[in-house]
Amino acid sequence: MRRDELLDAAEGLLCDQGSEALTLAAVAERAGVSKGGLLYHFASKEALIKGMVERLIGEFDELLATSPGDTYTKRYLAATLTAVRAGKLRRWAVVTGASGNVFLLTPLREAMARWHREGLSSEPDPVASSIVRLACEGLWDVASHDPDTHSEADLEALEARLLAML
């Protein structure tokens, strides 16, 4: 539990103050722990960013695994909409903005490639499936920067239109 609290503190700090503010001391202060307590879980700023990336991938993989749908793309759409509705999107922008280190973002790039290629050849219309997955990425991006962009009615309309494409 403490590890997630530290990751939440780092994400909140990044959202509120930007990547320049991400220091171990600032994260520890925001989380209400000593710097030593933070270092117990994350030995460096890079380890903290890596932890944010790993958590982000794991959470989305879990959403995919538990989302309804008879195709991967339908599960991908459902998982994306679940994340948007839950307000869990800021992590994508936070992690990307937090790290200028390509090595730290490699796992995210690999996950994105996997998410966009998975099961594509078995979809009824692979091109439509690619378009829906790319639309999901656009929704993630817009919602990450302006969470109030889409009302529930907007999301329902988007979902219906994207499902109709499949």
Side-chain angles (χ1 to χ4, degrees):
M1 183 62 82
R2 179 52 88 181
R3 182 173 161 73
D4 280 332
E5 291 170 11
L6 295 168
L7 293 172
D8 289 342
E11 289 170 0
L13 187 67
L14 285 165
C15 284
D16 295 345
Q17 298 178 28
S19 60
E20 293 297 317
L22 184 67
T23 65
L24 295 177
V27 172
E29 181 180 332
R30 187 170 196 137
V33 300
S34 68
K35 189 172 176 184
L38 172 64
L39 290 170
Y40 175 79
H41 294 282
F42 302 102
S44 65
K45 180 178 173 179
E46 290 75 21
L48 184 63
I49 294 169
K50 183 179 178 201
M52 287 189 286
V53 170
E54 289 170 350
R55 180 169 78 163
L56 179 146
I57 293 167
E59 285 182 352
F60 193 69
D61 280 340
E62 179 64 27
L63 275 176
L64 270 168
T66 60
S67 290
D70 59 348
T71 67
Y72 187 89
T73 302
K74 288 179 183 176
R75 289 190 304 278
Y76 191 86
L77 175 59
T80 299
L81 290 168
T82 298
V84 169
R85 287 176 173 123
K88 293 197 174 236
L89 292 174
R90 73 181 191 168
R91 289 191 183 135
W92 292 91
V94 167
V95 173
T96 300
S99 175
N101 183 331
V102 175
F103 174 75
L104 292 174
L105 290 177
T106 297
L108 181 56
R109 290 181 177 167
E110 290 170 353
M112 292 292 292
R114 174 173 47 85
W115 294 329
H116 282 272
R117 291 185 184 125
E118 183 81 26
L120 203 53
S121 62
S122 64
E123 295 281 350
D125 184 342
V127 173
S129 293
S130 289
I131 292 168
V132 168
R133 293 179 196 193
L134 291 169
C136 287
E137 294 311 317
L139 181 58
W140 277 98
D141 194 39
V142 170
S144 292
H145 297 289
D146 185 6
D148 299 323
T149 301
H150 296 94
S151 68
E152 182 58 32
D154 293 335
L155 292 176
E156 289 174 8
L158 284 169
E159 181 177 26
R161 180 64 62 94
L162 291 171
L163 285 171
M165 291 179 66
L166 299 173

